[in-house]
Amino acid sequence: MASAATPAIRALVQAKVEHRVHSYTHDPRSDSYGVEAVDALAAQLGVTGEQIFKTLVIELGSGGLAVAVLPVPTTLSLKAAAAALGGGKAAMADKAKAERTTGYVLGGISPLGQKKKLPTVIDESALQWDRVLCSAGKRGLEIELAPADLVRLTGAVTAAVAVS
């Protein structure tokens, strides 16, 4: 497994955080990475789609980037994310800028182990679960961990940023 260690996995190991890594076969034709993860892992792990979180990079009104982490089946409220992060307003970040800043490719952006640590908001629904899954930093690789650990390691705030 050492060869598969991404910066996100290394961050968890270094912090001595209990976690499990799950992999699935990524279809390069897929452009809905979160749905692909849910389809591949929900039944296999006995979790719901609401326990599998996607990582979205947004640009705040100040021009700085930030991260929003929310359940795959939901949509991000840019207004709520901006308010939670004190950014006034927000828009989805440019793909190239998001990849360059985080060090990850789209569809594999993890909230952990980013090249540049960004302000992060995690949807408060994460706190209702014992375990949640999020990207391990590579398409086809997910990390399962306690939501409190995810919040602590990302320095995130929690807020209602997901819309069903």
Side-chain angles (χ1 to χ4, degrees):
M1 170 151 102
S3 63
T6 63
I9 295 169
R10 285 195 295 274
L12 290 169
V13 170
Q14 187 176 357
K16 296 178 173 44
V17 169
E18 182 186 329
H19 66 282
R20 291 179 62 201
V21 178
H22 302 284
S23 64
Y24 60 92
T25 303
H26 164 64
D27 180 350
R29 296 168 300 183
S30 175
D31 60 354
S32 184
Y33 308 110
V35 171
E36 182 181 51
V38 168
D39 289 348
L41 295 175
Q44 176 187 329
L45 301 176
V47 297
T48 71
E50 286 76 20
Q51 283 176 270
I52 301 176
F53 282 64
K54 57 188 170 187
T55 306
L56 302 177
V57 180
I58 58 175
E59 188 161 349
L60 298 174
S62 61
L65 296 184
V67 172
V69 183
L70 60 155
V72 168
T74 64
T75 303
L76 176 64
S77 165
L78 288 165
K79 185 175 180 179
L85 295 166
K89 64 179 184 165
M92 293 305 297
D94 171 72
K95 174 187 171 184
K97 190 173 180 182
E99 291 180 340
R100 192 171 51 251
T101 304
T102 64
Y104 294 118
V105 298
L106 210 64
I109 295 177
S110 177
L112 300 161
Q114 296 172 355
K115 194 163 41 170
K116 179 182 179 196
K117 190 171 182 176
L118 298 172
T120 302
V121 60
I122 298 173
D123 187 68
E124 65 188 13
S125 68
L127 302 176
Q128 73 180 315
W129 306 106
D130 292 337
R131 312 290 281 170
V132 293
L133 289 96
C134 65
S135 176
K138 183 178 172 187
R139 294 174 185 158
L141 210 56
E142 295 281 311
I143 302 169
E144 178 182 345
L145 73 166
D149 288 330
L150 181 60
V151 170
R152 181 173 53 81
L153 290 176
T154 56
V157 295
T158 57
V161 296
V163 181
S164 295

